[in-house]
Amino acid sequence: MLRVRSLNQYYGQSHVLRDVDFEVKEAEIHCLMGRNGVGKTTLVKSLLALVPAQADELRLGARDLREERVEARVDLGMGYVPQGRMIFPDLTVGENLELALRPRALATVPTPGPDLSLVYEFFPVLNEMRERRGGDLSGGQQQQLAIGRALLTQPRLLILDEPCEGIQPNIVSLIGSVLERLRDDMQMSILLIEQKLPFARRYADRFSLMDRGQIVVGGPIAELNDQLVDEYLTV
C-alpha cells in the first residue's frame, strides 16, 4: 500500500530524517514507534507533504506521490488524525463531520469507504452529541471526532499520530476495536504512531522502530522483544 525508500528531510542545515525505508502493507496495522524527538511526527508530515522531503520512492499503491501536494495525497487516499486532534472547537460535532463530507461530495468519481452512518456506528457518542460544540467535548470524545472526520475522507491509508495520548482506558479499547474493524472488514491499511507498548502489541500486525531520524529495525509485532524495547523505547 505505502512504500517509502530513502526518504530524507531537512530543517535548515539539520538533517532530520536519514534514508528512511519502510512500507505499510495492504490491510495491516503498522505501528511506528520510538522515543520523543526521533522524527516520527516529521516522517508523517513528510508523507503528507506538510513539510518538504526528498525520496527515491514514495508510493501509495501504484501512484507516485513525490510531486503531489497535500490535497492530492488526501484525494488519493491518505487520511490523517493529527496529534492533539485539531478539531474545530467552535463548530458542532455535526459541522466538524460535514466539513469532511463536502470534498467527497464534490468528487467526480465517488470513492467507496466509511460514511456518516458507519462513523456513528463506530462512535455512538458523536451521534448523541452532534449538536454540541467540539470544544465542549472531553478529550476522548474529541479523539473519536478526529478519527471519524478522517474516515469520512474515505482513506485507503489511515495515519494516526498518538491517538491514545491522554485518553481514558475504555476509549483506548474502543479505538483499538475500530482499527481492527477497519483492517478486517474494510481492508484498510493503518499507520499508527504510538508510544503505548501494550496497545501496539495488542492491535498492530507489524512495527518499525525509529532512532535519530532512521528506521533501525522492524518486523512482525511478535518480534518486538524486551531487548528492543530497552534499547529504543525505554526512557
Side-chain angles (χ1 to χ4, degrees):
M1 171 57 70
L2 176 70
R3 185 175 177 88
V4 181
R5 291 290 176 268
S6 192
L7 185 146
N8 289 271
Q9 202 279 332
Y10 300 83
Y11 280 141
Q13 299 300 313
S14 298
H15 194 173
V16 180
L17 300 178
R18 301 171 178 269
D19 293 322
V20 172
D21 293 349
F22 81 110
E23 64 180 313
V24 180
K25 298 180 180 180
E26 295 273 359
E28 79 162 5
I29 300 174
H30 190 118
C31 191
L32 178 66
M33 308 183 77
R35 295 185 180 95
N36 290 334
V38 299
K40 302 185 300 296
T41 295
T42 300
L43 175 55
V44 168
K45 290 182 176 181
S46 298
L47 297 177
L48 288 155
L50 294 172
V51 298
Q54 304 166 4
D56 288 349
E57 184 177 10
L58 178 56
R59 291 187 175 275
L60 184 66
R63 187 65 176 261
D64 187 345
L65 299 180
R66 287 176 294 177
E67 301 301 322
E68 302 290 357
R69 296 170 62 89
V70 59
E71 313 93 89
R73 296 187 191 194
V74 172
D75 286 341
L76 290 167
M78 299 183 80
Y80 181 40
V81 181
Q83 187 177 22
R85 300 177 280 274
M86 294 178 64
I87 63 158
F88 295 102
D90 293 328
L91 298 182
T92 67
V93 168
E95 289 168 340
N96 269 274
L97 295 173
E98 184 181 348
L99 286 175
L101 282 170
R102 285 177 177 174
R104 311 313 293 170
L106 296 173
T108 55
V109 180
T111 304
D115 59 14
L116 188 56
S117 64
L118 188 58
V119 167
Y120 285 150
E121 179 187 333
F122 285 155
F123 304 117
V125 70
L126 300 182
N127 190 26
E128 298 167 9
M129 297 187 172
R130 59 185 180 275
E131 300 301 325
R132 188 170 298 186
R133 291 173 61 254
D136 294 334
L137 303 182
S138 70
Q141 291 163 351
Q142 289 186 8
Q143 189 63 277
Q144 293 172 73
L145 177 56
I147 296 172
R149 182 180 59 186
L151 290 177
L152 290 176
T153 67
Q154 300 181 344
R156 301 163 60 198
L157 171 71
L158 179 64
I159 303 173
L160 304 100
D161 195 349
E162 302 216 20
C164 300
E165 184 179 24
I167 304 301
Q168 57 267 42
N170 64 316
I171 303 302
V172 169
S173 296
L174 173 61
I175 290 171
S177 66
V178 167
L179 297 184
E180 286 183 320
R181 289 185 62 184
L182 293 170
R183 177 197 62 195
D184 298 341
D185 299 344
M186 308 195 72
Q187 300 299 290
M188 191 177 292
S189 300
I190 296 166
L191 176 58
L192 174 68
I193 293 82
E194 186 50 67
Q195 297 277 46
K196 294 184 181 298
L197 187 58
F199 187 85
R201 283 178 163 158
R202 168 66 180 82
Y203 294 105
D205 301 299
R206 293 195 306 134
F207 76 98
S208 293
L209 289 176
M210 286 194 75
D211 188 48
R212 299 180 184 179
Q214 295 178 303
I215 301 290
V216 291
V217 66
I221 195 66
E223 295 179 4
L224 182 56
N225 55 42
D226 291 342
Q227 179 180 347
L228 292 175
V229 170
D230 288 343
E231 186 170 358
Y232 296 110
L233 298 177
T234 302
V235 178

